[in-house]
């Protein structure tokens, strides 16, 4: 590899990292809004309990529902020591009660090491049925291989990506999943986990996504044709000079 190629690759990696930070920023902001709404609703419920129960009974009931941390010990162990922005992302996902899993690429086959309650409810699986397994068990006969390949390449390169694909519940029922996967890094920039966020979407959403992807595919073809034309022109000029 030449020095210029190394510089080009370094620049591409910086650009990928920049885009990844932007995507995570928007996702985190959206989750924080959900968290705020949940906290407000929770406070209203606590107020209703205090208003309708006696002080001692209300205190006892509320004490039973309190948790010591927004992040339980399991996600904390699953994500080891994350860089602060990535830790905040995981914390917001859990607090907003999102459907997500955390995987460990340092283990064989990148298995699930944490699954949220929302993920279990969405898929119908129990925790012991998913821990230690690769997420491919959600795939089925009509899952698009191209979408699966896009996910595989993103993991291979340590990049974030999003795809819309068919997944299957434990009972065999199919659902459309807008799937987002992000690499989680430690303070040194090393990928130590991946977080996969699942969002069940309807047919109208899927059609809109497919239409947008078709348009992007046409743009890519046009750029490739223009590139071929440029190369052809350059070759003709070289031939004329020679």
């Amino acid at each position: 590899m030449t020095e210029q190629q190394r510089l080009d690759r370094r620049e591409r990696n910086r650009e990928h990292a920049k885009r990844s930070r932007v995507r995570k920023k928007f996702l985190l902001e959206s989750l924080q809004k959900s968290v705020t709404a949940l906290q407000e609703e929770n406070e209203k419920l606590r107020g209703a309990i205090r208003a309708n129960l006696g002080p001692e009974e209300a205190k006892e009931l509320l004490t039973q529902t309190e948790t010591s941390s927004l992040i339980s010990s399991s996600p904390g162990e699953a994500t080891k020591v994350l860089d602060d922005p990535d830790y905040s992302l995981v914390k917001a996902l859990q607090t907003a009660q999102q459907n997500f899993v955390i995987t460990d690429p340092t283990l064989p086959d990148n298995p699930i090491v944490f699954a949220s309650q929302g993920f279990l409810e969405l898929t119908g699986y129990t925790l012991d049925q998913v821990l230690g397994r690769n997420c491919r068990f959600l795939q089925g006969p009509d899952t698009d291989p191209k979408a699966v390949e896009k996910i595989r390449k993103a993991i291979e390169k340590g990049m974030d990506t999003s795809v819309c694909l068919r997944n299957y519940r434990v009972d065999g029922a199919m659902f459309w999943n807008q799937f987002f996967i992000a690499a989680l890094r430690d303070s040194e920039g090393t990928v130590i986990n991946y977080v996969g966020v699942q969002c069940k979407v309807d047919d109208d959403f899927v059609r809109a996504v497919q239409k947008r992807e078709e348009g992007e595919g046409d743009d890519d073809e046009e750029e490739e044709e223009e590139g071929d034309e440029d190369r052809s022109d350059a070759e003709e000029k070289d031939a004329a000079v020679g």
Side-chain angles (χ1 to χ4, degrees), residues 18-233:
K18 180 180 177 182
R19 292 178 182 177
S20 174
R21 287 194 296 271
V22 171
R23 281 194 294 267
K24 288 176 182 177
K25 178 177 180 292
F26 283 127
L27 177 59
L28 183 56
E29 288 175 350
S30 175
L31 289 168
Q32 285 172 336
K33 291 179 181 178
S34 299
V35 169
T36 300
L38 287 169
Q39 289 173 336
E40 291 175 352
E41 185 64 25
N42 183 52
E43 192 56 39
K44 289 179 182 178
L45 291 172
R46 294 169 69 89
I49 290 173
R50 294 190 186 97
N52 290 280
L53 296 178
E56 292 300 321
E57 190 175 356
K59 182 179 179 182
E60 181 180 353
L61 179 60
L62 292 173
T63 300
Q64 294 175 2
T65 63
E66 289 178 353
T67 56
S68 59
S69 173
L70 293 176
I71 285 289
S72 67
S73 58
S74 296
E77 293 171 0
T79 55
K80 300 176 182 175
V81 182
L82 293 177
D83 193 22
D84 184 64
D86 287 346
Y87 176 81
S88 298
L89 173 61
V90 173
K91 183 170 71 173
L93 282 169
Q94 190 187 29
T95 309
Q97 301 177 10
Q98 296 294 305
N99 313 321
F100 74 101
V101 295
I102 295 171
T103 68
D104 188 343
T106 67
L107 297 176
D109 208 24
N110 192 22
I112 295 172
V113 293
F114 175 79
S116 72
Q117 185 59 37
F119 173 85
L120 300 177
E121 292 173 358
L122 174 65
T123 63
Y125 286 90
T126 59
L127 189 61
D128 62 320
Q129 289 176 313
V130 304
L131 290 180
R133 299 178 65 185
N134 185 281
C135 293
R136 71 174 65 91
F137 65 82
L138 294 176
Q139 299 171 23
D142 292 323
T143 301
D144 186 357
K146 292 181 180 178
V148 176
E149 179 65 10
K150 185 177 180 181
I151 296 170
R152 187 192 68 77
K153 286 184 177 179
I155 293 174
E156 186 178 273
K157 296 178 180 179
M159 296 167 54
D160 303 347
T161 194
S162 180
V163 297
C164 190
L165 76 169
R166 289 183 175 95
N167 277 161
Y168 293 82
R169 286 174 44 84
V170 68
D171 59 6
M174 188 277 291
F175 67 96
W176 281 103
N177 179 14
Q178 181 62 39
F179 179 66
F180 172 76
I181 186 168
L184 303 178
R185 304 174 187 274
D186 61 16
S187 58
E188 297 179 353
T190 303
V191 176
I192 56 174
N193 292 103
Y194 284 93
V195 59
V197 184
Q198 297 78 21
C199 181
K200 184 178 180 181
V201 295
D202 59 22
D203 291 340
D204 290 339
F205 181 92
V206 174
R207 281 191 289 270
V209 169
Q210 291 173 339
K211 185 176 181 180
R212 184 179 71 245
E213 290 178 347
E214 287 173 2
E216 291 174 351
D218 292 340
D219 292 340
D220 291 340
E221 290 178 4
E222 290 177 3
E223 290 177 1
E224 186 174 342
E225 290 174 0
E226 290 174 359
D228 291 339
E229 291 175 0
D230 292 340
R231 284 190 291 273
S232 178
D233 291 343

